[in-house]
Amino acid sequence: MTQERYIPSHVAIIMDGNGRWAQERNQMRVSGHRAGLKTVRKIVTYAATLKIKVLTLYAFSSENWKRPANEVSALISLFIYALNREIKSLNKNNVRLNIIGDISRFSEHLQNMIINAQNLTKNNSGLVLNIAANYGGRWDILQSAKKMAMQVATGEITLDEMTEGRFASAMCMSEFPEVDLVIRTGGEYRISNFLLWQIAYSELYFTDTLWPDFNQNLFDEAINVFNTRERRFGGLHNKEHLC
Ligand code: FPP
């Protein structure tokens, strides 16, 4: 009898390789991002089918502002387009949309769209879809540290009460299960200031496949590899304590 595979509760994905995908086809980089958006749609649908609880996608990092202005504005336009186009269908499919990151740098129009989309879907009980937009792992740690510092400064808590648990609860996504698996497409082996605090014990999976070519089968493959990993969370191997 085959053993049933364990479906991770929380999967986070660094969607890399859109630009190279387009260049390989002699197309503009933005057409790679458009193709990437189609993959987002497929992977979100599949994640919901698999009953993954939380899917977190790195759409726009706090460093992406350094790209040429036309690419930045294309990425932001694509985000607005996707929000407009997909929000009804996400809501119908019981998906809760949540944006993580410093949205204050976006236009008022986009900030309102984000707030409305979150409000519309906030009571949905299916897949939680976190989109990281103007997100950076260091920014997230810093904003938590500032909240804690303020609580100490106002006497709400003492310095000793600034515990790991309190700190964690001020980080983005603290209300969701821990990240089990991080997938990075596009052949680079780094985290690029995506989740830092939250992936302390996550399994990491890297694939050379460019994001627009990522699909259900490759997602399955990542989950299968995740199933071969033994997670010890700093403890011992199951049998090691017998020695
Ligand atoms: C990295 O590829 C990808 C991004 C910076 C943006 C990801 C955006 C999408 C998948 C489309 C929009 C998604 C949403 C949720 C609206 P890259 O440009 O770094 O590729 P390269 O490494 O080949 O240059």
Side-chain angles (χ1 to χ4, degrees), residues 131-150:
I131 300 289
N134 194 23
Y135 179 87
R138 289 177 176 176
W139 164 83
D140 195 0
I141 292 170
L142 191 62
Q143 64 82 28
S144 173
K146 282 180 179 168
K147 279 186 204 155
M148 291 292 102
M150 184 59 87

PDB file of all heavy atoms in Angstrom, residues 131-150:
ATOM      1  N   ILE A 131      -0.163  37.770  -0.977  1.00  0.00           N
ATOM      2  CA  ILE A 131       0.674  38.313  -2.044  1.00  0.00           C
ATOM      3  C   ILE A 131       1.646  39.301  -1.391  1.00  0.00           C
ATOM      4  O   ILE A 131       1.221  40.272  -0.755  1.00  0.00           O
ATOM      5  CB  ILE A 131      -0.176  39.048  -3.115  1.00  0.00           C
ATOM      6  CG1 ILE A 131      -1.206  38.100  -3.760  1.00  0.00           C
ATOM      7  CG2 ILE A 131       0.725  39.679  -4.178  1.00  0.00           C
ATOM      8  CD1 ILE A 131      -0.635  37.051  -4.681  1.00  0.00           C
ATOM      9  N   ALA A 132       2.939  39.009  -1.537  1.00  0.00           N
ATOM     10  CA  ALA A 132       3.953  39.907  -0.980  1.00  0.00           C
ATOM     11  C   ALA A 132       4.218  41.011  -1.995  1.00  0.00           C
ATOM     12  O   ALA A 132       4.686  40.754  -3.099  1.00  0.00           O
ATOM     13  CB  ALA A 132       5.232  39.127  -0.671  1.00  0.00           C
ATOM     14  N   ALA A 133       3.862  42.245  -1.621  1.00  0.00           N
ATOM     15  CA  ALA A 133       3.987  43.380  -2.538  1.00  0.00           C
ATOM     16  C   ALA A 133       4.696  44.512  -1.811  1.00  0.00           C
ATOM     17  O   ALA A 133       4.246  44.943  -0.736  1.00  0.00           O
ATOM     18  CB  ALA A 133       2.611  43.824  -3.012  1.00  0.00           C
ATOM     19  N   ASN A 134       5.789  44.987  -2.372  1.00  0.00           N
ATOM     20  CA  ASN A 134       6.709  45.881  -1.676  1.00  0.00           C
ATOM     21  C   ASN A 134       7.049  45.279  -0.314  1.00  0.00           C
ATOM     22  O   ASN A 134       7.013  45.944   0.715  1.00  0.00           O
ATOM     23  CB  ASN A 134       6.155  47.304  -1.532  1.00  0.00           C
ATOM     24  CG  ASN A 134       7.246  48.289  -1.117  1.00  0.00           C
ATOM     25  OD1 ASN A 134       8.431  48.039  -1.350  1.00  0.00           O
ATOM     26  ND2 ASN A 134       6.861  49.383  -0.509  1.00  0.00           N
ATOM     27  N   TYR A 135       7.361  43.999  -0.363  1.00  0.00           N
ATOM     28  CA  TYR A 135       7.713  43.260   0.846  1.00  0.00           C
ATOM     29  C   TYR A 135       9.210  43.006   0.882  1.00  0.00           C
ATOM     30  O   TYR A 135       9.832  42.742  -0.146  1.00  0.00           O
ATOM     31  CB  TYR A 135       6.984  41.903   0.889  1.00  0.00           C
ATOM     32  CG  TYR A 135       7.342  41.105   2.123  1.00  0.00           C
ATOM     33  CD1 TYR A 135       6.635  41.281   3.308  1.00  0.00           C
ATOM     34  CD2 TYR A 135       8.430  40.225   2.113  1.00  0.00           C
ATOM     35  CE1 TYR A 135       6.989  40.587   4.458  1.00  0.00           C
ATOM     36  CE2 TYR A 135       8.794  39.535   3.265  1.00  0.00           C
ATOM     37  CZ  TYR A 135       8.060  39.718   4.431  1.00  0.00           C
ATOM     38  OH  TYR A 135       8.421  39.036   5.574  1.00  0.00           O
ATOM     39  N   GLY A 136       9.778  43.065   2.059  1.00  0.00           N
ATOM     40  CA  GLY A 136      11.162  42.651   2.280  1.00  0.00           C
ATOM     41  C   GLY A 136      11.238  42.014   3.655  1.00  0.00           C
ATOM     42  O   GLY A 136      10.620  42.509   4.609  1.00  0.00           O
ATOM     43  N   GLY A 137      11.954  40.923   3.766  1.00  0.00           N
ATOM     44  CA  GLY A 137      12.076  40.235   5.046  1.00  0.00           C
ATOM     45  C   GLY A 137      12.682  41.131   6.114  1.00  0.00           C
ATOM     46  O   GLY A 137      12.279  41.095   7.282  1.00  0.00           O
ATOM     47  N   ARG A 138      13.661  41.969   5.717  1.00  0.00           N
ATOM     48  CA  ARG A 138      14.292  42.861   6.696  1.00  0.00           C
ATOM     49  C   ARG A 138      13.316  43.941   7.147  1.00  0.00           C
ATOM     50  O   ARG A 138      13.263  44.307   8.319  1.00  0.00           O
ATOM     51  CB  ARG A 138      15.535  43.500   6.090  1.00  0.00           C
ATOM     52  CG  ARG A 138      16.654  42.495   5.935  1.00  0.00           C
ATOM     53  CD  ARG A 138      17.830  43.135   5.266  1.00  0.00           C
ATOM     54  NE  ARG A 138      18.953  42.209   5.196  1.00  0.00           N
ATOM     55  CZ  ARG A 138      20.092  42.483   4.581  1.00  0.00           C
ATOM     56  NH1 ARG A 138      20.251  43.641   3.969  1.00  0.00           N
ATOM     57  NH2 ARG A 138      21.060  41.602   4.553  1.00  0.00           N
ATOM     58  N   TRP A 139      12.518  44.450   6.189  1.00  0.00           N
ATOM     59  CA  TRP A 139      11.488  45.439   6.538  1.00  0.00           C
ATOM     60  C   TRP A 139      10.532  44.842   7.562  1.00  0.00           C
ATOM     61  O   TRP A 139      10.148  45.496   8.546  1.00  0.00           O
ATOM     62  CB  TRP A 139      10.714  45.858   5.267  1.00  0.00           C
ATOM     63  CG  TRP A 139       9.423  46.561   5.590  1.00  0.00           C
ATOM     64  CD1 TRP A 139       9.261  47.872   5.887  1.00  0.00           C
ATOM     65  CD2 TRP A 139       8.121  45.962   5.699  1.00  0.00           C
ATOM     66  NE1 TRP A 139       7.935  48.141   6.173  1.00  0.00           N
ATOM     67  CE2 TRP A 139       7.222  46.982   6.063  1.00  0.00           C
ATOM     68  CE3 TRP A 139       7.627  44.659   5.523  1.00  0.00           C
ATOM     69  CZ2 TRP A 139       5.853  46.739   6.248  1.00  0.00           C
ATOM     70  CZ3 TRP A 139       6.273  44.413   5.717  1.00  0.00           C
ATOM     71  CH2 TRP A 139       5.403  45.461   6.069  1.00  0.00           C
ATOM     72  N   ASP A 140      10.149  43.590   7.359  1.00  0.00           N
ATOM     73  CA  ASP A 140       9.177  42.937   8.240  1.00  0.00           C
ATOM     74  C   ASP A 140       9.737  42.828   9.663  1.00  0.00           C
ATOM     75  O   ASP A 140       9.052  43.146  10.650  1.00  0.00           O
ATOM     76  CB  ASP A 140       8.847  41.549   7.657  1.00  0.00           C
ATOM     77  CG  ASP A 140       7.602  40.929   8.248  1.00  0.00           C
ATOM     78  OD1 ASP A 140       6.976  41.560   9.121  1.00  0.00           O
ATOM     79  OD2 ASP A 140       7.255  39.797   7.834  1.00  0.00           O
ATOM     80  N   ILE A 141      11.013  42.414   9.764  1.00  0.00           N
ATOM     81  CA  ILE A 141      11.634  42.290  11.089  1.00  0.00           C
ATOM     82  C   ILE A 141      11.719  43.677  11.749  1.00  0.00           C
ATOM     83  O   ILE A 141      11.395  43.848  12.929  1.00  0.00           O
ATOM     84  CB  ILE A 141      13.032  41.632  10.975  1.00  0.00           C
ATOM     85  CG1 ILE A 141      12.890  40.164  10.538  1.00  0.00           C
ATOM     86  CG2 ILE A 141      13.793  41.729  12.301  1.00  0.00           C
ATOM     87  CD1 ILE A 141      14.187  39.476  10.173  1.00  0.00           C
ATOM     88  N   LEU A 142      12.086  44.668  10.945  1.00  0.00           N
ATOM     89  CA  LEU A 142      12.230  46.025  11.484  1.00  0.00           C
ATOM     90  C   LEU A 142      10.886  46.589  11.974  1.00  0.00           C
ATOM     91  O   LEU A 142      10.813  47.208  13.048  1.00  0.00           O
ATOM     92  CB  LEU A 142      12.825  46.931  10.400  1.00  0.00           C
ATOM     93  CG  LEU A 142      13.293  48.302  10.853  1.00  0.00           C
ATOM     94  CD1 LEU A 142      14.424  48.181  11.876  1.00  0.00           C
ATOM     95  CD2 LEU A 142      13.783  49.127   9.652  1.00  0.00           C
ATOM     96  N   GLN A 143       9.811  46.340  11.201  1.00  0.00           N
ATOM     97  CA  GLN A 143       8.525  46.905  11.631  1.00  0.00           C
ATOM     98  C   GLN A 143       8.037  46.226  12.916  1.00  0.00           C
ATOM     99  O   GLN A 143       7.435  46.871  13.766  1.00  0.00           O
ATOM    100  CB  GLN A 143       7.477  46.889  10.490  1.00  0.00           C
ATOM    101  CG  GLN A 143       7.023  45.542   9.946  1.00  0.00           C
ATOM    102  CD  GLN A 143       5.954  44.882  10.795  1.00  0.00           C
ATOM    103  OE1 GLN A 143       5.182  45.559  11.460  1.00  0.00           O
ATOM    104  NE2 GLN A 143       5.909  43.553  10.768  1.00  0.00           N
ATOM    105  N   SER A 144       8.381  44.941  13.083  1.00  0.00           N
ATOM    106  CA  SER A 144       8.027  44.263  14.331  1.00  0.00           C
ATOM    107  C   SER A 144       8.850  44.851  15.489  1.00  0.00           C
ATOM    108  O   SER A 144       8.319  45.124  16.574  1.00  0.00           O
ATOM    109  CB  SER A 144       8.283  42.760  14.191  1.00  0.00           C
ATOM    110  OG  SER A 144       8.092  42.128  15.429  1.00  0.00           O
ATOM    111  N   ALA A 145      10.150  45.072  15.218  1.00  0.00           N
ATOM    112  CA  ALA A 145      11.034  45.626  16.259  1.00  0.00           C
ATOM    113  C   ALA A 145      10.545  47.012  16.695  1.00  0.00           C
ATOM    114  O   ALA A 145      10.553  47.339  17.892  1.00  0.00           O
ATOM    115  CB  ALA A 145      12.460  45.709  15.728  1.00  0.00           C
ATOM    116  N   LYS A 146      10.079  47.800  15.715  1.00  0.00           N
ATOM    117  CA  LYS A 146       9.588  49.145  16.060  1.00  0.00           C
ATOM    118  C   LYS A 146       8.346  49.067  16.947  1.00  0.00           C
ATOM    119  O   LYS A 146       8.196  49.838  17.898  1.00  0.00           O
ATOM    120  CB  LYS A 146       9.274  49.935  14.788  1.00  0.00           C
ATOM    121  CG  LYS A 146      10.509  50.484  14.098  1.00  0.00           C
ATOM    122  CD  LYS A 146      10.112  51.256  12.855  1.00  0.00           C
ATOM    123  CE  LYS A 146      11.315  51.834  12.148  1.00  0.00           C
ATOM    124  NZ  LYS A 146      10.982  52.330  10.807  1.00  0.00           N
ATOM    125  N   LYS A 147       7.441  48.131  16.615  1.00  0.00           N
ATOM    126  CA  LYS A 147       6.224  47.979  17.435  1.00  0.00           C
ATOM    127  C   LYS A 147       6.599  47.602  18.867  1.00  0.00           C
ATOM    128  O   LYS A 147       6.048  48.133  19.836  1.00  0.00           O
ATOM    129  CB  LYS A 147       5.323  46.883  16.855  1.00  0.00           C
ATOM    130  CG  LYS A 147       4.468  47.339  15.676  1.00  0.00           C
ATOM    131  CD  LYS A 147       3.517  46.213  15.283  1.00  0.00           C
ATOM    132  CE  LYS A 147       3.090  46.327  13.846  1.00  0.00           C
ATOM    133  NZ  LYS A 147       2.694  45.052  13.245  1.00  0.00           N
ATOM    134  N   MET A 148       7.551  46.642  18.978  1.00  0.00           N
ATOM    135  CA  MET A 148       7.983  46.203  20.312  1.00  0.00           C
ATOM    136  C   MET A 148       8.638  47.365  21.071  1.00  0.00           C
ATOM    137  O   MET A 148       8.372  47.581  22.253  1.00  0.00           O
ATOM    138  CB  MET A 148       9.016  45.068  20.189  1.00  0.00           C
ATOM    139  CG  MET A 148       8.496  43.750  19.670  1.00  0.00           C
ATOM    140  SD  MET A 148       7.365  42.930  20.802  1.00  0.00           S
ATOM    141  CE  MET A 148       5.848  43.333  20.004  1.00  0.00           C
ATOM    142  N   ALA A 149       9.501  48.103  20.359  1.00  0.00           N
ATOM    143  CA  ALA A 149      10.213  49.218  21.004  1.00  0.00           C
ATOM    144  C   ALA A 149       9.208  50.240  21.527  1.00  0.00           C
ATOM    145  O   ALA A 149       9.360  50.777  22.636  1.00  0.00           O
ATOM    146  CB  ALA A 149      11.170  49.861  20.004  1.00  0.00           C
ATOM    147  N   MET A 150       8.163  50.493  20.750  1.00  0.00           N
ATOM    148  CA  MET A 150       7.127  51.443  21.153  1.00  0.00           C
ATOM    149  C   MET A 150       6.423  50.946  22.411  1.00  0.00           C
ATOM    150  O   MET A 150       6.160  51.729  23.331  1.00  0.00           O
ATOM    151  CB  MET A 150       6.131  51.624  19.992  1.00  0.00           C
ATOM    152  CG  MET A 150       5.067  52.651  20.240  1.00  0.00           C
ATOM    153  SD  MET A 150       5.769  54.279  20.560  1.00  0.00           S
ATOM    154  CE  MET A 150       5.927  54.896  18.912  1.00  0.00           C
TER     155      MET A 150
END
